[in-house]
C-alpha cells in the first residue's frame, strides 16, 4: 500500500533527527598538539602520541638549527683561519726574540773582556751591543703585539661559539616546549560523515 504523505514526512524527519542525535551524542576524545598540528590516531596511546610529538619537534629543531649553523659557519671559519695565522705570527715572533736575546750576549761579553783586560771598551763593540739591544726590544714588541692579537681573536671565537651555542639551546628549548603542548579534546561526528541508508516503519499485527 502507498504511504500517505504525512507518513513520508515523518520518516524523512526521523532520518534528520537520527543524524542530529548521533552528532550530539557520539563523540570521541583525541589528543591534539596545536603547535605541531598533530592529532592522535585511532588506537594510539598517550605515550605513543607524546613520542610522535617529540620526534616531530626534534626534526623541526634540527631544520632550524641547520639554518643557524649555516649563518655562523662563514664567520667561524674566517676566525679560525685568522687564529691560525696569528698563532704562526706569535710563534715566529717568539723565536725571533729568543734569537735576538741570545745574540745580545756575544758583544756584551766582548765589551766586558775589553774593560777587564784592556782597561777600556771597544767603541765598535759598544755600538754593536746597542744595536742588538734595540733589535731585542723590537723583537719583544713584535711578540707582545702578536700575542695580544692572538688572544683577542681567540676571545672573539669563543664569544661567537658561545652565541651559537646559546641560539641552539634556545631552539631546543622552544621545540621541547612545543612538543609538550598536548591537550585532550572531544571531536563530534560530522553530519557529512553520517549516512542514514533507510528509515522504515513496520506495522506488526497485535493479538
Amino acid at each position: 500500500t502507498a504511504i500517505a504523505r504525512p507518513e513520508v514526512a515523518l520518516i524523512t524527519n526521523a532520518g534528520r533527527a537520527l543524524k542530529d542525535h548521533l552528532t550530539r551524542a557520539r563523540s570521541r576524545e583525541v589528543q591534539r598538539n596545536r603547535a605541531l598540528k598533530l592529532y592522535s590516531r585511532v588506537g594510539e596511546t598517550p605515550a605513543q602520541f607524546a613520542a610522535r610529538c617529540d620526534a616531530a619537534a626534534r626534526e623541526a629543531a634540527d631544520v632550524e638549527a641547520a639554518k643557524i649553523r649555516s649563518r655562523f659557519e662563514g664567520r667561524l671559519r674566517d676566525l679560525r683561519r685568522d687564529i691560525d695565522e696569528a698563532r704562526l705570527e706569535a710563534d715566529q715572533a717568539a723565536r725571533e726574540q729568543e734569537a735576538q736575546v741570545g745574540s745580545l750576549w756575544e758583544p756584551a761579553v766582548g765589551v766586558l773582556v775589553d774593560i777587564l783586560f784592556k782597561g777600556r771598551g771597544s767603541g765598535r763593540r759598544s755600538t754593536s751591543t746597542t744595536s742588538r739591544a734595540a733589535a731585542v726590544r723590537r723583537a719583544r714588541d713584535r711578540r707582545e703585539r702578536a700575542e695580544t692579537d692572538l688572544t683577542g681573536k681567540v676571545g672573539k671565537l669563543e664569544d661567537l661559539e658561545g652565541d651559537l651555542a646559546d641560539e641552539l639551546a634556545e631552539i631546543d628549548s622552544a621545540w621541547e616546549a612545543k612538543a609538550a603542548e598536548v591537550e585532550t579534546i572531544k571531536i563530534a561526528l560530522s553530519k557529512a560523515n553520517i549516512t542514514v541508508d533507510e528509515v522504515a516503519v513496520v506495522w506488526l499485527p497485535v493479538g
Side-chain angles (χ1 to χ4, degrees):
T1 59
I3 301 177
R5 191 173 298 276
E7 282 79 2
V8 173
L10 178 64
I11 292 173
T12 302
N13 290 336
R16 293 197 189 105
L18 179 58
K19 274 192 173 184
D20 291 340
H21 171 73
L22 291 175
T23 300
R24 291 191 303 269
R26 294 295 182 92
S27 63
R28 61 176 301 161
E29 290 188 347
V30 299
Q31 289 190 304
R32 175 179 67 182
N33 188 308
R34 189 190 299 271
L36 299 176
K37 299 179 181 179
L38 293 177
Y39 291 83
S40 60
R41 298 165 179 161
V42 175
E44 188 174 38
T45 66
Q48 290 170 336
F49 180 63
R52 190 155 60 89
C53 289
D54 287 340
R58 284 197 301 272
E59 183 176 349
D62 289 342
V63 171
E64 190 172 345
K67 294 178 182 178
I68 296 298
R69 289 191 180 94
S70 178
R71 180 160 59 85
F72 276 80
E73 183 179 359
R75 286 183 289 167
L76 289 169
R77 182 180 59 249
D78 291 344
L79 266 175
R80 291 185 180 116
R81 183 195 60 226
D82 291 345
I83 287 173
D84 289 340
E85 293 173 356
R87 184 172 288 114
L88 178 61
E89 169 65 14
D91 291 343
Q92 290 175 345
R95 287 194 296 270
E96 180 186 354
Q97 183 184 12
E98 291 171 0
Q100 292 293 347
V101 169
S103 66
L104 179 63
W105 287 102
E106 192 176 315
V109 170
V111 171
L112 183 59
V113 169
D114 286 343
I115 293 173
L116 290 176
F117 294 97
K118 298 179 181 179
R120 61 185 177 82
S122 169
R124 185 178 60 181
R125 286 184 174 177
S126 178
T127 301
S128 176
T129 301
T130 302
S131 176
R132 289 175 184 269
V136 168
R137 287 193 297 273
R138 288 194 297 271
R140 180 198 61 202
D141 292 343
R142 178 191 174 191
R143 179 177 184 175
E144 290 176 352
R145 287 194 303 271
E147 290 177 347
T148 299
D149 182 52
L150 175 59
T151 300
K153 288 176 178 176
V154 169
K156 288 181 180 179
L157 177 62
E158 291 174 349
D159 290 342
L160 191 59
E161 289 175 335
D163 291 341
L164 173 59
D166 289 343
E167 291 203 30
L168 293 177
E170 288 177 4
I171 290 172
D172 287 342
S173 178
W175 283 102
E176 284 177 6
K178 289 179 181 180
E181 293 176 7
V182 176
E183 58 182 344
T184 300
I185 61 172
K186 283 188 176 182
I187 296 181
L189 289 175
S190 170
K191 287 184 180 181
N193 295 327
I194 300 175
T195 301
V196 178
D197 293 330
E198 183 179 4
V199 176
V201 178
V202 179
W203 283 270
L204 296 176
V206 178

